[in-house]
Amino acid sequence: MSLPNRITIVRITLIPLMVLGFYLDEMIEGFKLGGLIAAALFSLAAITDFLDGYIARKRNLITTVGKFLDPIADKVLVITALFLIVEGGLVAAPYGAIFSSLIVARELMISGFRQIAASSGVVISADKSGKIKAVFQDIAMIMFLLLKTVRQFPELFGGALIDAYATLSYVVLAAAVILTIWSGIAYIVKNKAVFG
């Protein structure tokens, strides 16, 4: 197995560890750093996403397995983090359900679109808008995962600062959702010939 694919496997392995880290607060009495641990593991996984792609291109190690595993790992990572922050009450209703459904719907539609293209022998790579979208999604997930820990230390951060941080987290998430929709539309428009 090539090095980039091994790195992708590491990213997939980090996902259940992130979930475990997130729920340590509920599993260990008095523990308050579950959100911080989950955010750190998510960040590490996001870094491996950049790393495996860079190595694959630099060393010409792009494989069919990598083309299959890499986008799946990315989607499962972000969607799992979404489930955690929504289920954990970090994103208030109804925003959690709305934002999650838009992000998941876009990812499923683009995956289906890629399958249609692949059946015609066309390989569609990620474009710039998709990469920008991914960066905003990652930042939003990290901010909300950290919010879980920040909220558990009101004596350290203070109510006003926590509220300001939560508001900023919502702004970044909203931007991520807008970019998610935009990049999905741009992706299909750019490659509309596939439908022909």
Side-chain angles (χ1 to χ4, degrees):
M1 182 178 287
S2 68
L3 178 58
N5 290 346
R6 289 177 185 173
I7 294 173
T8 301
I9 295 296
V10 169
R11 181 157 76 257
I12 293 170
T13 305
L14 287 171
I15 295 170
L17 294 177
M18 176 184 69
V19 175
L20 177 63
F22 186 83
Y23 288 110
L24 283 177
D25 295 352
E26 287 74 26
M27 297 166 63
I28 302 173
E29 186 176 349
F31 193 79
K32 297 181 178 181
L33 300 177
L36 177 62
I37 292 171
L41 290 169
F42 182 96
S43 300
L44 181 58
I47 290 169
T48 67
D49 179 26
F50 164 78
L51 193 59
D52 63 7
Y54 175 78
I55 293 173
R57 289 186 298 271
K58 187 81 171 176
R59 300 185 183 178
N60 196 25
L61 294 172
I62 298 171
T63 64
T64 303
V65 172
K67 288 179 183 178
F68 171 73
L69 277 182
D70 185 64
I72 288 178
D74 300 343
K75 289 172 177 54
V76 173
L77 175 65
V78 170
I79 291 171
T80 301
L82 267 172
F83 286 162
L84 290 177
I85 64 175
V86 171
E87 193 277 335
L90 298 169
V91 183
Y95 306 110
I98 294 169
F99 290 169
S100 297
S101 62
L102 289 171
I103 290 173
V104 172
R106 185 269 187 196
E107 299 303 342
L108 290 175
M109 284 191 292
I110 296 304
S111 294
F113 186 71
R114 275 184 167 160
Q115 286 181 344
I116 293 171
S119 67
S120 303
V122 178
V123 177
I124 301 174
S125 57
D127 62 3
K128 190 173 181 179
S129 65
K131 291 176 182 177
I132 295 171
K133 172 268 302 181
V135 169
F136 271 82
Q137 282 184 354
D138 289 349
I139 294 172
M141 296 305 105
I142 292 167
M143 290 183 72
F144 272 103
L145 290 170
L146 283 174
L147 181 60
K148 182 180 185 186
T149 295
V150 169
R151 282 181 173 169
Q152 298 201 62
F153 293 94
E155 69 284 354
L156 181 62
F157 296 105
L161 186 58
I162 293 173
D163 289 344
Y165 179 82
T167 301
L168 181 59
S169 300
Y170 274 102
V171 170
V172 175
L173 181 57
V177 172
I178 292 169
L179 286 167
T180 296
I181 296 168
W182 169 252
S183 68
I185 294 170
Y187 195 88
I188 293 173
V189 170
K190 182 180 177 182
N191 299 284
K192 62 181 181 295
V194 169
F195 291 111

